[in-house]
Amino acid sequence: GDSLSTEEVFAAITEHNRKLSEQDTFSTEPLRLVYRSSNVQNMRFVDTPGIIANKGTGKDNRDAIKGILRDTMKKPNSKLCVLVEPKEFSTNAIIDFCDETFGGKGKWVKNAIILMTKYDKQLEDSRSGSKANKFFSEYHENDLYPYLTITPTLAREDLTPEELFLERQELLSNATDYEERKFEDWQALHAKHRETDPEDPKLVSDVSSRIGFSAAKDKMREVMLMDTATRLPEVLMSLRKELSNYRDELEVLEGKKRFRDPHHLKTMIGDLLHDVCTRIRDYLDGDLEASTKFPELVMDLDDELGNEEDSEWFDRRLGSAATIEEEEEWRDLIQSILDGNIEDIGHINPDKKLLGGKQFHRAVELLNATMTEALPDISLLKDHVASGAGYLQGGLQQENWERATLSLVKMSSKVALHPGINFFIKHAGTIFRHLFQVALKDVKQRSVDSNRLLEICPGLENHLTDKFDEMVWTLMTNAADKTHVSLEPWYSCLKTNLPNFHPTEEDTDDEDTFRIHGGEYVKTPCKSEIREQQMREGVVSKLTSFFQFSIDDGEAKKLLRQRGRQRAAEKRGFLAKERTSMINDDETEKIVAFAYQYIYALHEQIQVSLDFQINHYLYNAFKDNIANFSRVVSNDDWKEMIPADNSLDDSIQELKDKITALKGSLGDVQKMQTQF
């Protein structure tokens, strides 16, 4: 119960012991009695049953009592108060019991205070100083210095609990005077004996200084005080730590109370997401601090690819330009490259641990390297080239090599581009998602408020992650659609003057010719050499040379117009003009060889264009999206995120009371330390 009176405590314990006695049993479960007072030190008494009584009558529970003693004395700052009967040392069973319990006197004596109770039974046998000193000598030789106590006893104990309580209260009220009279009479007896035997010694100081329960109490207080003094720094540290914990807990609870206001919660979530998105932008732009702060979160290429395979969008269809199966073939090709079976890609640092924008850069380089390897071997399509030429297009009965070439370009480009673009976008999405998790951890360490917000709302982090994933998937879908569409024009037609495309031509004008100059034959340049020289001296070279000396907008535009007229007037052969009426194997070889040259020239241009598409539709678009992410998400209805807690106000007040009490205790201990 709570707030019990002394009478109620006495009655409860008496009834408990009566029931145990009737059952002839012993309980190892303690009865816990908490007594609170403002003028005593904190302490805990553990009272065990009488050992001697348990040896001779009823069940033998000595082993259980030993267990209680051992467990109690293992606790820090525990002291042993041993009550012994006034018997010779050699016959004192309690001393032997302690030796058995703790493994010898050296294990328990230093932490024990010995009280020799009922010493009035020994007064007659110790009627002189010599007899008393002799009685205690063996105790002292074994480092045992008992305090002598005498307590009045009841004339009879067959009383009701109420009567027994009143009788014992009466005895306790007179106990001090009773003990003092008994010991005064004993010491007077010693003095009278010395009158007849002047040689009889006085009590040794180790005995005389330990007479009476008041001396024992003073010793106990001294032990506790010294123990407190040695532990004051530890106590201060413990109190400060406890006070700090309570303050942290109070701040959390008060935060919960504030977060019950949806408007405040919305503001806090907005601030959290703003900080997270700011950190993500830092990672993308380059952040050495993050990679050193979280070494366990930087990733090599294998880690990134594993994350992509574990992502929820691994087998999710991304547009209609490529199937899941085609994406899986692309992953197999990447694995072959990483295994060193196809191409050395050491230049993209697959084993280096990276974080942020450099991860995206590596993914772009991986895409470019894999796109080259993904181009199919169109020589395997020789048998189908004739079918691609068709018949009588536009009413002209002539083999349409151009259409067959365009078909080869389309087929190879679709295979090499679209599955890879889908994979790359999913790869980039997993990088963005990883950066969100890194940023969350980063912000939690940087901001106490953000960390507590996520602790208070346990489902908030998952909710924000889901929102981020939705944003990233929308971005990925949009980037995929636009990138796929933007690449289709590159292979939807053939461009005869495609930059860097210089097909091998069967032209007699390219045969070596010579002229006589200075009496010697000098080789004259052929058409292809002339075209190459003109290309080197093209408009870009002229502009570069021009701008080294001056900047003139009018002159620059004049050069560009001149270049436009040159392109319009430029004559360039594309495919052989002379063709058989029915395409043959030699002509098929020429078409395939021509298509090879065109495809590789085309894909060099596509890779440049694709870099722009990726940077615009994915990378920069992601930066733009996270700039608005906090505003968009914080506009959601956050009422469901507010945890219900009707006892919050009571818990806050309870913590405030504990903090006030701890502050008082801390002040008291600090004063005590100053006094020491």
Side-chain angles (χ1 to χ4, degrees), residues 7-71:
E7 293 88 343
E8 290 171 326
V9 171
F10 182 85
I13 294 175
T14 301
E15 178 61 19
H16 178 76
N17 289 337
R18 184 188 65 77
K19 290 180 179 179
L20 291 177
S21 177
E22 289 178 354
Q23 298 171 6
D24 192 20
T25 188
F26 173 84
S27 174
T28 57
E29 291 296 321
L31 283 178
R32 302 185 185 278
L33 176 63
V34 179
Y35 178 80
R36 300 186 183 278
S37 176
S38 59
N39 58 357
V40 298
Q41 292 175 270
N42 290 336
M43 66 187 79
R44 176 183 295 172
F45 289 101
V46 179
D47 184 24
T48 63
I51 297 168
I52 300 303
N54 276 283
K55 183 178 180 181
T57 61
K59 294 182 179 179
D60 187 358
N61 296 299
R62 293 163 63 84
D63 289 339
I65 296 173
K66 288 179 182 179
I68 294 173
L69 289 172
R70 291 192 192 104
D71 291 341

Side-chain angles (χ1 to χ4, degrees), residues 374-376 378 381 384 388 404-419 491 599 603:
L375 284 169
I378 60 175
L381 301 175
H384 304 282
T405 302
L406 180 60
S407 296
L408 289 172
V409 171
K410 281 185 176 181
M411 287 183 63
S412 60
S413 296
K414 287 180 179 180
V415 170
L417 292 175
H418 298 291
Y491 57 77
I599 288 169
H603 276 256

Side-chain angles (χ1 to χ4, degrees), residues 294-351:
F294 304 110
E296 74 283 3
L297 297 179
V298 295
M299 307 180 82
D300 59 24
L301 184 56
D302 191 58
D303 295 330
E304 293 173 10
L305 297 179
N307 268 9
E308 190 274 332
E309 288 192 7
D310 294 337
S311 69
E312 64 181 26
W313 46 62
F314 167 75
D315 54 358
R316 190 172 177 182
R317 187 73 179 261
L318 188 59
S320 58
T323 65
I324 299 297
E325 292 73 21
E326 289 171 336
E327 291 176 20
E328 187 60 29
E329 291 175 3
W330 187 275
R331 292 186 182 91
D332 293 339
L333 179 59
I334 289 177
Q335 191 57 53
S336 295
I337 294 174
L338 293 177
D339 293 340
N341 299 330
I342 300 177
E343 173 72 13
D344 178 18
I345 57 169
H347 64 286
I348 71 171
N349 299 317
D351 298 325

Side-chain angles (χ1 to χ4, degrees), residues 196-363:
T196 58
D197 184 3
E199 299 297 325
D200 191 66
K202 292 183 178 181
L203 291 172
V204 294
S205 61
D206 286 334
V207 176
S208 61
S209 62
R210 290 175 171 80
I211 295 176
F213 183 66
S214 60
K217 287 194 296 183
D218 291 341
K219 180 61 178 177
M220 291 179 188
R221 290 195 182 101
E222 178 187 341
V223 169
M224 293 175 64
L225 194 60
M226 291 304 297
D227 180 70
T228 301
T230 57
R231 291 190 302 110
L232 278 179
E234 178 186 344
V235 171
L236 279 172
M237 184 180 298
S238 176
L239 287 173
R240 289 187 179 115
K241 183 177 180 180
E242 191 173 1
L243 182 59
S244 177
N245 290 339
Y246 280 147
R247 282 172 172 163
D248 289 343
E249 191 176 345
L250 178 62
E251 193 168 345
V252 169
L253 292 182
E254 289 179 336
K256 282 186 178 181
K257 185 176 181 179
R258 291 194 300 272
F259 295 144
R260 293 167 75 179
D261 177 6
H263 298 292
H264 179 76
L265 182 61
K266 174 182 175 180
T267 301
M268 290 296 297
I269 291 174
D271 292 343
L272 166 67
L273 290 177
H274 176 269
D275 293 342
V276 168
C277 293
T278 299
R279 292 303 294 144
I280 293 176
R281 291 179 67 89
D282 291 341
Y283 304 155
L284 294 174
D285 292 339
D287 193 297
L288 185 62
E289 178 189 357
S291 63
T292 55
K293 186 177 181 181
F294 304 110
E296 74 283 3
L297 297 179
V298 295
M299 307 180 82
D300 59 24
L301 184 56
D302 191 58
D303 295 330
E304 293 173 10
L305 297 179
N307 268 9
E308 190 274 332
E309 288 192 7
D310 294 337
S311 69
E312 64 181 26
W313 46 62
F314 167 75
D315 54 358
R316 190 172 177 182
R317 187 73 179 261
L318 188 59
S320 58
T323 65
I324 299 297
E325 292 73 21
E326 289 171 336
E327 291 176 20
E328 187 60 29
E329 291 175 3
W330 187 275
R331 292 186 182 91
D332 293 339
L333 179 59
I334 289 177
Q335 191 57 53
S336 295
I337 294 174
L338 293 177
D339 293 340
N341 299 330
I342 300 177
E343 173 72 13
D344 178 18
I345 57 169
H347 64 286
I348 71 171
N349 299 317
D351 298 325
K352 184 166 288 188
K353 301 280 189 178
L354 300 175
L355 181 70
K358 192 53 66 177
Q359 286 181 273
F360 189 91
H361 185 187
R362 178 168 59 191

Side-chain angles (χ1 to χ4, degrees), residues 42 78 86 142 166 175 288 310 328 613 620:
N42 290 336
S78 294
N142 286 276
L166 293 174
L288 185 62
D310 294 337
E328 187 60 29
Q613 308 293 335
N620 287 333

